[in-house]
Amino acid sequence: MSLILLTHAEQLAAHLRSEMSRGRWCHVLPGIQRLSIELGVNHNTVEAALRLLEEEGMVTSQGHGLPRRVCASALTGEKRSLRVKILLYEAVDRFLPDRVELLARLQEAGHAADFAPKSLQDLGMRVERVARFVEKHPADAWVVCSASQEILRWFSTGPVPAIAMYGRFTGLPIAAASPRKIPAMVTSVRKLEALGHRRIVMLSREERRKPEPALFERAYLDELAELGVPTGPYNLPDWKETPDGLRACLETLFRHTPPTALILGETTFFMALQQYLSRRGILVPDHLSVICLDPDPAFAWCNPAIAHIDWDFRPLVQRILSWADHIAHGREDRKQTLLLAKLIEGGTIGPVA
């Protein structure tokens, strides 16, 4: 029987292979410097071992200076229970039906899922704060809700798999699940214009307006221009996202050239608008047409019914469950799923007074 002596690099490659199979590293390996320190071997040996694993198809390079990504072949093929963190836009979003359903379904699937202790608003929607927060709260996968483009870009290049639930993910290499609301919004704008509306204003969040309008907001401005309506800051105003800031924005809008139609980015704004209009004696739809871009169970109790954009969130929740299943089996998944939304006309749209 012949004796085969392994080089230091081959021994290290065997150790790394064993650790990946046990599930220690399921997505990416640590960098060369970190492995060198942790395992007590020099950089050259680590680099040689990683090259051996690349040749075997166990890991793939992500570019110079970036950690190697673990391939599915490095895993046992058995499904793992994931630690899933759901990073909400605002803390109160944990009570929204789609978030409640998502959390329950992930837990039913055997994953250790929970809401992150801070929201994107708590973290100021700032990349550096989110990065520190993620580092302090280890997880196998992240569901990121309604995030800015900068935040989702950071997650798309990070070592831990992430999926965008809503948010500005267009053009980024990240998995996503979201309604496709642009066709319904275009229908809304065309209906308003046909009823004589020319002073149409949309109120949306800052991360959707800056550094430039998001795809949805851009489509809104383009549709106004297509209909011959001059566009500018009036149609998509900047405002400070506080209750006082929203009130100040509305005061400015209604002071000189009041809009005849308001399109509101979310139900929170709609509730605040209703209170403002009641104090001013402005009636909907007699004096002002209003459309909300999100659904809300409370709309069914309103008379007249609230015009809004609606979709079934259950297929989106199922998509995130499928993504988590792929990650649990060691398969990369960056598919972006869009579900067509529809306009519910309601009774808050009318002709210009």
Side-chain angles (χ1 to χ4, degrees):
M1 182 176 66
S2 60
L3 180 64
I4 300 175
L5 298 178
L6 300 178
T7 66
H8 291 304
E10 289 170 335
Q11 294 177 50
L12 179 57
H15 173 72
L16 295 175
R17 192 184 304 114
S18 174
E19 292 298 293
M20 286 186 288
S21 297
R22 290 196 308 110
R24 180 179 178 185
W25 299 303
C26 301
H27 308 299
V28 295
L29 287 174
I32 292 176
Q33 183 176 2
R34 180 176 165 187
L35 283 173
S36 177
I37 295 173
E38 286 187 5
L39 303 176
V41 294
N42 64 52
H43 290 66
N44 293 334
T45 302
V46 175
E47 181 60 45
L50 293 176
R51 284 200 298 268
L52 289 174
L53 294 177
E54 282 186 19
E55 293 171 2
E56 296 173 11
M58 300 287 283
V59 300
T60 56
S61 173
Q62 300 189 91
H64 179 70
L66 296 175
R68 266 79 167 181
R69 181 171 291 279
V70 179
C71 299
S73 60
L75 305 174
T76 62
E78 297 180 358
K79 179 179 176 180
R80 300 182 301 117
S81 174
L82 299 177
R83 295 171 300 170
V84 183
K85 294 288 186 184
I86 303 173
L87 183 55
L88 299 169
Y89 181 84
E90 291 181 304
V92 295
D93 291 348
R94 67 180 60 232
F95 303 112
L96 295 176
D98 54 350
R99 313 307 199 275
V100 173
E101 176 83 3
L102 174 61
L103 180 63
R105 294 288 302 279
L106 284 169
Q107 292 174 344
E108 288 172 4
H111 301 300
D114 61 358
F115 295 121
K118 288 189 177 182
S119 69
L120 288 169
Q121 285 295 297
D122 294 333
L123 298 168
M125 198 67 78
R126 292 169 54 186
V127 172
E128 63 275 13
R129 293 184 63 183
V130 170
R132 290 195 298 268
F133 177 77
V134 169
E135 184 178 359
K136 291 179 180 178
H137 297 82
D140 300 310
W142 285 84
V143 179
V144 189
C145 303
S146 305
S148 67
Q149 189 175 52
E150 292 76 13
I151 297 294
L152 292 178
R153 181 179 291 110
W154 181 85
F155 272 103
S156 72
T157 58
V160 182
I163 185 169
M165 186 178 189
Y166 319 131
R168 294 189 65 174
F169 55 81
T170 303
L172 298 176
I174 188 172
S178 181
R180 182 169 175 255
K181 297 195 287 186
I182 288 180
M185 179 273 296
V186 168
T187 299
S188 304
V189 173
R190 290 177 180 175
K191 183 172 183 62
L192 290 171
E193 195 276 338
L195 291 171
H197 294 275
R198 307 288 288 181
R199 299 199 298 273
I200 304 172
V201 173
M202 177 184 289
L203 296 180
S204 61
R205 294 279 188 175
E206 181 179 6
E207 62 269 10
R208 302 201 58 82
R209 305 188 309 266
K210 298 177 179 179
E212 64 278 329
L215 183 65
F216 184 87
E217 282 72 13
R218 184 72 261 165
Y220 155 72
L221 295 173
D222 289 344
E223 184 59 29
L224 288 179
E226 182 71 20
L227 294 172
V229 178
T231 61
Y234 174 83
N235 306 99
L236 190 66
D238 281 333
W239 56 285
K240 186 177 180 181
E241 291 178 23
T242 63
D244 288 341
L246 178 56
R247 187 160 48 251
C249 177
L250 293 173
E251 289 288 352
T252 300
L253 286 172
F254 283 91
R255 182 173 298 129
H256 301 300
T257 53
T260 60
L262 270 177
I263 302 175
L264 305 171
E266 54 192 74
T267 55
T268 304
F269 304 161
F270 176 82
M271 302 304 178
L273 174 69
Q274 289 288 81
Q275 188 181 50
Y276 175 83
L277 296 180
S278 66
R279 291 200 308 269
R280 292 286 301 267
I282 300 173
L283 301 179
V284 176
D286 304 65
H287 307 141
L288 178 73
S289 289
V290 177
I291 300 173
C292 189
L293 298 177
D294 279 349
D296 191 285
F299 289 169
W301 291 86
C302 296
N303 187 14
I306 310 303
H308 65 280
I309 292 178
D310 192 25
W311 65 89
D312 184 355
F313 65 78
R314 289 171 297 180
L316 299 181
V317 170
Q318 184 58 48
R319 162 65 185 128
I320 297 175
L321 286 170
S322 298
W323 170 83
D325 185 68
H326 293 163
I327 300 304
H329 283 94
R331 298 195 295 270
E332 184 177 276
D333 183 348
R334 295 176 183 259
K335 179 181 177 183
Q336 296 183 350
T337 300
L338 297 178
L339 180 70
L340 190 63
K342 60 182 179 180
L343 171 66
I344 307 299
E345 292 192 12
T348 56
I349 302 175
V352 175

